[in-house]
Amino acid sequence: MLDVDQALGIVLSQCRALPAGEVALADAVFRTLAKPITTDIDQPPFDRSLMDGYAVGAADTQNAPVTLQVVGQIAAGDTLERELKSGQAIQINTGAPIPCGADAVVRVELTRLDEGNGTVTILEPAKPGQFITPRGEYKKAGEVVLPAASLLTPVNIGVCASAGAAEVAVYRQPRVAVVVTGSELVDIGERPSGGQIRNSNQYLLESLIRSVHCEPVVHAVVKDERTAISDAIARAVNCDVICITGGVSMGAFDFVPEVLLALEATVHFHKISIKPGRPTLFATLSDGQLVFALPGNPVSALVGFRLLVAPALAALQGRHDVPRLLRAVLCGTLPAEGPRRAYYPASLRIDDNGGYVAHLLSWHGSGDALGMAGAQALIARPPGSPPAKAGEAVEFIPLE
C-alpha cells in the first residue's frame, strides 16, 4: 500500500487550478488570488507624522529647551501650503503630512504650550527624521503587496483596499458534491432503531468543505445498492470534486469501487497505509472530476479529508497547502504502532514556555463520532513507533 505522502503526491498531480475571474473586493473574502496585487501609489503617499506633537526643524531644537513660534495646525487629511521657517513650529496630529521645511516631530509630551503667546517650548533636542515615516517607505508605487496564490483573509482584504484594488482576480471556488452511502443511515432528527445509526458524516463533510472555503453540494443519502450509487455519482458530475463516504471497503455491500470502474473512472489508488482510513480511494472521472471515496467511520472520514481532500481543494484554488507536522508534548499514553501510520484525535493547549501540549482524547476507534469532541489536531505516529508516555514529544497536524 502507498504511504500517505505518496498518496498525496498522486492526488496533487491530478489537480489543476480552476479558471479565474475578476470579482469585487467585497465579494472576495477567502478566495485565492490568481494575480498579484500591486499598490497604485507610494505607501505612505507622503511624509507622515507618527505622533501627535509639533513639526519642527531639528536644527532649531539642538539647544533645548527652546521656544518656537506656533504658526499653524495640521490634522490628518489636511495640507498646509506655507513653508515652515527657522524658529517656527506647527502643531501636528498622527497621520498628518509633514509640512515643507520640517524634518522632525516632537511628541506633545516633550513640549510645553503657551497659548497666550502662541509659542511652544521644546524640552528635548530632536533628531532629523524623528517620528516621520517617509513617503514610499512601506511600498513604492507598482510594488507587489500580495503575491498570487494568497488567500484573501480579512486582513489581506484590508491590504488590497489600501493598495487601491477595487476588483481582484481570483480562482473559482470548487463545488464539492457530498455523497453519503449506507442503508443503515437515518437523518439526525430521527431516533435510530434496530441496526440504524444517524447520518453524521453528511454534516461533518459539509462543515469541513465550508471550513476550507469551498461550496458543498449535498446529495440525499444513498442506499448500498449499485444502481443507487451509480445514479448519485451521475448526478454529482456537475461538481468539481465528488466526496463519497462509505461503501469503499471489502464488505459484501461495499459497491463504490466497482461502480467507479463501471463508470470508466481511473482509480489511482485504493487503500493507503494509514490507521484509521486504510480503504480510502482516489479516482478521476473522464471529464476530470476528482473523486474521493472515504471510509464511512467518522474519524476515518475526518482523517482522509484533512490529509488528502483539503490539500486538493487548495490546489484547485491555486494554493499549495499540504498538512504540516508540528511538535507537542504528549498528555496521555500511546501504544506501539504497527506497519501503518496512525492518527489520534487530540486537543491542544499552550504551556508556560509557549509550546504545544497535545491531550489525547478518550475515543474508542474510528467509529466513535462522539470521541472527536474538542479535537483540534491529529497526533501523527510513524509506522513502528514505540509506545509513548506522558511528557514525550509527538508530532501533530492541526485540524484548523
Side-chain angles (χ1 to χ4, degrees):
M1 288 184 289
L2 298 173
D3 66 32
V4 68
D5 292 333
Q6 292 172 315
L8 180 57
I10 291 172
V11 168
L12 295 179
S13 74
Q14 300 301 311
C15 296
R16 300 291 181 272
L18 296 173
E22 297 277 338
V23 301
L25 182 61
D27 298 326
V29 64
F30 293 125
R31 303 286 292 272
T32 302
L33 283 176
K35 297 179 181 178
I37 300 296
T38 59
T39 178
D40 60 342
I41 59 173
D42 291 341
Q43 299 279 3
F46 47 81
D47 294 347
R48 185 168 65 178
S49 175
L50 285 170
M51 293 287 174
D52 294 331
Y54 291 87
V56 299
D60 285 342
T61 69
Q62 297 312 297
N63 296 321
V66 297
T67 299
L68 304 176
Q69 190 71 33
V70 179
V71 295
Q73 183 181 53
I74 185 167
D78 290 344
T79 56
L80 192 65
E81 300 298 334
R82 69 184 300 168
E83 180 177 352
L84 189 70
K85 297 179 180 179
S86 179
Q88 296 178 339
I90 292 177
Q91 189 178 13
I92 194 166
N93 288 357
T94 301
I98 301 298
C100 184
D103 64 357
V105 172
V106 179
R107 289 186 297 136
V108 68
E109 294 88 346
L110 296 177
T111 67
R112 187 169 59 244
L113 177 65
D114 184 341
E115 292 187 17
N117 291 322
T119 61
V120 64
T121 300
I122 308 299
L123 302 177
E124 292 184 4
K127 297 178 180 179
Q130 175 177 291
F131 299 128
I132 294 175
T133 302
R135 174 175 177 165
E137 183 176 73
Y138 304 154
K139 291 287 183 179
K140 299 290 188 184
E143 287 189 320
V144 172
V145 296
L146 274 179
S150 294
L151 182 65
L152 289 175
T153 61
V155 170
N156 283 342
I157 290 286
V159 171
C160 293
S162 295
E167 293 189 340
V168 291
V170 294
Y171 292 106
R172 180 168 65 78
Q173 291 174 300
R175 300 179 76 244
V176 186
V178 176
V179 178
V180 179
T181 73
S183 299
E184 76 279 16
L185 298 176
V186 297
D187 190 68
I188 59 172
E190 298 183 37
R191 188 179 185 88
S193 62
Q196 296 176 329
I197 60 173
R198 288 190 172 105
N199 171 23
S200 64
N201 275 351
Q202 172 186 321
Y203 298 89
L204 171 66
L205 287 174
E206 185 178 1
S207 299
L208 287 169
I209 291 163
R210 292 189 190 280
S211 76
V212 293
H213 320 303
C214 297
E215 179 187 353
V217 180
V218 178
H219 292 256
V221 173
V222 179
K223 293 188 178 298
D224 292 316
E225 299 170 356
R226 292 180 181 86
T227 300
I229 294 170
S230 180
D231 289 346
I233 294 173
R235 290 193 300 271
V237 295
N238 63 335
C239 292
D240 306 291
V241 177
I242 303 173
C243 200
I244 306 170
T245 64
V248 73
S249 191
M250 301 294 291
F253 296 95
D254 289 327
F255 298 130
V256 169
E258 64 178 83
V259 167
L260 287 170
L261 290 174
L263 293 172
E264 299 185 343
T266 300
V267 176
H268 299 279
F269 60 77
H270 183 196
K271 297 182 182 178
I272 54 178
S273 186
I274 62 172
K275 176 185 177 183
R278 179 173 63 174
T280 299
L281 179 151
F282 172 64
T284 48
L285 298 181
S286 57
D287 288 338
Q289 297 92 340
L290 309 181
V291 181
F292 295 91
L294 307 175
N297 283 330
V299 180
S300 298
L302 171 67
V303 170
F305 187 94
R306 182 67 185 91
L307 297 181
L308 300 175
V309 184
L313 296 179
L316 291 176
Q317 298 174 84
R319 298 196 316 274
H320 181 73
D321 188 10
V322 301
R324 54 197 177 95
L325 287 171
L326 304 176
R327 292 178 67 83
V329 174
L330 177 65
C331 183
T333 59
L334 289 167
E337 303 302 338
R340 289 182 284 161
R341 183 175 292 274
Y343 297 89
Y344 298 87
S347 62
L348 299 173
R349 69 175 176 86
I350 304 296
D351 64 20
D352 293 339
N353 297 317
Y356 287 108
V357 177
H359 291 256
L360 193 65
L361 299 181
S362 177
W363 69 298
H364 302 88
S366 60
D368 182 10
L370 302 182
M372 294 190 293
Q376 298 167 293
L378 295 172
I379 295 176
R381 301 265 288 157
S385 296
K389 300 178 182 178
E392 293 185 14
V394 291
E395 294 182 317
F396 72 90
I397 295 169
L399 285 176
E400 299 177 358

